[in-house]
């Protein structure tokens, strides 16, 4: 059986985690990651990295729950190993709070995170503007550490990693048997996919080591997420806004909103502003496509469009993408054995 050559386009969270899963589950192929940007310069580096799912309106809930569970279980295992600090994975406990009682008192992911329960009246006294809350423990990634850890694992396994911008996936036809497209918001231009759009997110990364519980307003706009090296304060969700430069007014607004929830943040130091464009889509595109030119074929597997929830589901979607890669390999084996007959 020929050793199949697979190119993964994109070195953000989705490209690297898909490449890692291919290497782990299909050892008979060689993997090359090709990307114009790497950590610390990807959208994935800007993220808070919290495992709190966002709902994709175009995907059945049972599917999203499975992706979340697979991701949670995978990272929990890393968290319980000696790799945890290198990979930047840790547990974090805290509260999601609501000004009015939400429709969904028990979200679909409540039995995946640890110790999910309603907040007590005593706990709610910390948030006098809020009437209801949920307490739980989840996982968080320190995003640059996690990306670097995956990149090192790939290189350690003999995979190649190249910096290059791809204008057209067909450029890869002569060297690779299969292409896996994990180019995030880049797919709008690369694939001409107008279903993917940016949702601009501005966050502050601050030094406030005394803050160690997360706080998330149920409206999803204001959050305080303590991490290994800093605390992420959020945020903004600006649909169809491509501006990557920070907006000082948004920074002040974010800071004020977060201080209203956690007044001790007034003393936060070393405030850095980061902006990222969430690669948003009604549904993650997990699909096979065969590109055909001049009678020649190039199988492509798409895995992009994770919007606000990439960290929460990445291992599950990597597994689904690798299943599709396996189907492409089986089809190639089938056509090469027919050719020999
Ligand atoms: C402010 C903010 C906070 C967030 N917080 C969380 C959170 O707490 N939890 C959570 O689950 N999710 C969160 N997210 C969402 C998460 O960041 C995304 O879902 C995830 O990072 C998407 O990963 P990606 O690999 O698809 O995209 P990217 O990280 O953008 O990676 C895409 C890669 O493709 C490459 N590429 C693109 N086009 C080309 C091309 N033509 N040629 C070569 N390479 C190309 C890019 O250079 C890049 O390496 C947050 C997002 C933002 C912006
Ligand atoms: O929504 C959250 O609480 C996590 C952060 C996030 O996913 C985002 O800002 O997109």
């Amino acid at each position: 059986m020929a050793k199949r050559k697979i190119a993964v386009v994109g070195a953000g969270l989705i490209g690297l985690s898909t490449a890692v899963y291919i290497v782990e589950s299909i050892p008979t192929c060689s993997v090359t990651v090709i990307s114009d940007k790497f950590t610390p310069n990807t959208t994935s580096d800007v993220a808070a990295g919290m495992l709190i799912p966002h709902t994709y309106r175009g995907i059945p809930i049972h599917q999203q729950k499975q992706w979340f569970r697979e991701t949670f279980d995978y990272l929990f295992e890393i968290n319980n190993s000696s790799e945890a600090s290198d990979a930047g994975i840790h547990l974090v406990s805290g509260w999601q709070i609501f000004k009015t009682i939400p429709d969904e008192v028990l979200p679909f992911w409540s039995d995946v995170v640890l110790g999910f329960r309603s907040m007590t009246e005593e706990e709610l006294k910390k948030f006098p503007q809020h009437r209801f809350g949920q307490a739980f423990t989840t996982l968080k990634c320190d995003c640059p550490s996690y990306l670097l850890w995956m990149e090192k694992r790939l290189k350690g396994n003999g995979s190649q990693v190249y910096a290059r911008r791809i204008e057209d996936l067909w450029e890869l036809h002569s060297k690779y048997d299969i292409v896996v497209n994990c180019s995030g918001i880049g797919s709008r231009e690369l694939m001409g996919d107008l279903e993917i759009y940016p949702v601009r997110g501005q966050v502050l990364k601050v030094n406030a080591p005394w803050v160690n519980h997360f706080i998330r307003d149920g409206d999803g706009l204001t959050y305080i997420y303590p991490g290994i090296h800093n605390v992420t304060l959020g945020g903004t969700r600006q649909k169809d806004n491509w501006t990557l430069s920070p907006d000082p007014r948004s920074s002040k607004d974010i800071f004020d909103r977060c201080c209203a929830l956690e007044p001790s943040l007034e003393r936060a130091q070393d405030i850095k502003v980061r902006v990222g464009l969430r690669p948003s889509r009604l549904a993650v595109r997990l699909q096979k496509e065969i590109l055909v030119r001049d009678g020649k074929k190039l199988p492509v597997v798409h895995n992009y469009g994770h919007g606000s929830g990439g960290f929460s589901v990445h291992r599950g979607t990597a597994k689904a993408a690798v299943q599709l890669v396996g189907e492409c390999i089986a089809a190639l084996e089938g056509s090469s054995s027919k050719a020999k007959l």
Side-chain angles (χ1 to χ4, degrees):
M1 199 189 297
K3 194 169 169 108
R4 296 295 175 184
K5 293 182 182 162
I6 304 185
V8 176
V9 176
L13 169 72
I14 303 304
L16 294 178
S17 59
T18 306
V20 165
Y21 203 96
I22 298 172
V23 168
E24 284 173 5
S25 51
I26 318 179
T28 53
C29 61
S30 71
V31 174
T32 303
V33 176
I34 303 167
S35 188
D36 62 348
K37 288 192 187 134
F38 290 86
T39 182
N41 299 315
T42 69
T43 304
S44 303
D45 287 280
V46 176
M50 286 290 285
L51 267 72
I52 295 187
H54 280 254
T55 307
Y56 301 99
R57 282 183 294 129
I59 299 178
I61 289 294
H62 70 87
Q63 177 66 86
Q64 300 187 47
K65 183 166 179 175
Q66 185 184 330
W67 291 342
F68 182 53
R69 193 183 287 284
E70 284 164 354
T71 307
F72 196 95
D73 290 351
Y74 171 69
L75 292 182
F76 194 43
E77 207 175 309
I78 296 175
N79 176 253
N80 292 332
S81 78
S82 58
E83 290 292 303
S85 71
D86 280 356
I89 309 298
H90 61 101
L91 287 164
V92 58
S93 302
W95 305 288
Q96 170 157 246
I97 50 176
F98 297 84
K99 292 206 172 85
T100 55
I101 299 191
D103 295 342
E104 218 182 25
V105 172
L106 214 57
F108 73 83
W109 43 266
S110 59
D111 60 346
V112 179
V113 297
L114 308 177
F116 186 96
R117 60 175 173 80
S118 294
M119 283 169 73
T120 63
E121 290 299 321
E122 286 305 305
E123 284 171 311
L124 275 167
K125 282 186 187 157
K126 182 168 169 62
F127 308 105
Q129 309 292 322
H130 294 75
R131 282 188 56 208
F132 177 80
Q134 299 154 336
F136 55 94
T137 298
T138 188
L139 288 152
K140 183 179 177 311
C141 306
D142 178 70
C143 304
S145 306
Y146 185 47
L147 297 176
L148 206 59
W149 180 78
M150 288 192 284
E151 217 181 290
K152 279 192 192 150
R153 277 177 69 114
L154 287 167
K155 287 179 180 163
N157 258 297
S159 300
Q160 305 290 315
V161 176
Y162 294 128
R164 172 175 155 193
R165 181 176 166 78
I166 305 294
E167 303 299 337
D168 179 344
L169 291 184
W170 194 259
E171 290 166 31
L172 302 169
H173 171 259
S174 56
K175 270 190 87 175
Y176 300 97
D177 299 304
I178 299 167
V179 172
V180 185
N181 172 29
C182 304
S183 58
I185 196 68
S187 286
R188 188 164 167 113
E189 206 178 319
L190 187 59
M191 303 315 303
D193 181 353
L194 300 182
E195 287 180 40
I196 188 165
Y197 56 90
V199 175
R200 181 180 181 278
Q202 181 163 322
V203 290
L204 308 179
K205 305 268 178 181
V206 309
N207 185 13
W210 60 88
V211 175
N212 43 36
H213 278 74
F214 76 79
I215 303 170
R216 180 184 203 266
D217 193 303
D219 67 9
L221 207 57
T222 306
Y223 50 72
I224 298 166
Y225 289 140
I228 298 173
H229 301 296
N230 51 40
V231 183
T232 304
L233 310 184
T236 68
R237 294 185 194 273
Q238 296 158 281
K239 192 174 174 221
D240 289 326
N241 185 331
W242 290 88
T243 313
L244 276 170
S245 53
D247 168 32
R249 272 182 312 174
S250 299
S251 293
K252 181 175 178 333
D253 183 46
I254 292 166
F255 192 70
D256 290 348
R257 279 187 272 130
C258 290
C259 287
L261 293 179
E262 180 53 68
S264 71
L265 283 169
E266 296 276 2
R267 299 274 191 278
Q269 301 282 315
D270 193 18
I271 301 174
K272 295 193 177 74
V273 190
R274 301 294 310 267
V275 177
L277 305 178
R278 301 176 182 89
S280 300
R281 217 172 172 275
L282 202 58
V284 177
R285 185 171 182 203
L286 265 166
Q287 204 174 43
K288 276 186 294 185
E289 181 181 16
I290 310 287
L291 303 184
V292 183
R293 286 197 201 163
D294 302 327
K296 294 185 181 125
K297 293 181 181 174
L298 176 63
V300 173
V301 172
H302 298 290
N303 184 12
Y304 67 82
H306 293 69
S308 296
F311 279 87
S312 309
V313 297
H314 68 279
R315 181 71 175 182
T317 56
K319 192 172 170 189
V322 174
Q323 165 88 30
L324 299 177
V325 170
E327 291 172 19
C328 292
I329 293 175
L332 289 172
E333 301 305 336
S335 53
S336 65
S337 55
K338 259 189 223 150
K340 280 184 202 141
L341 291 177

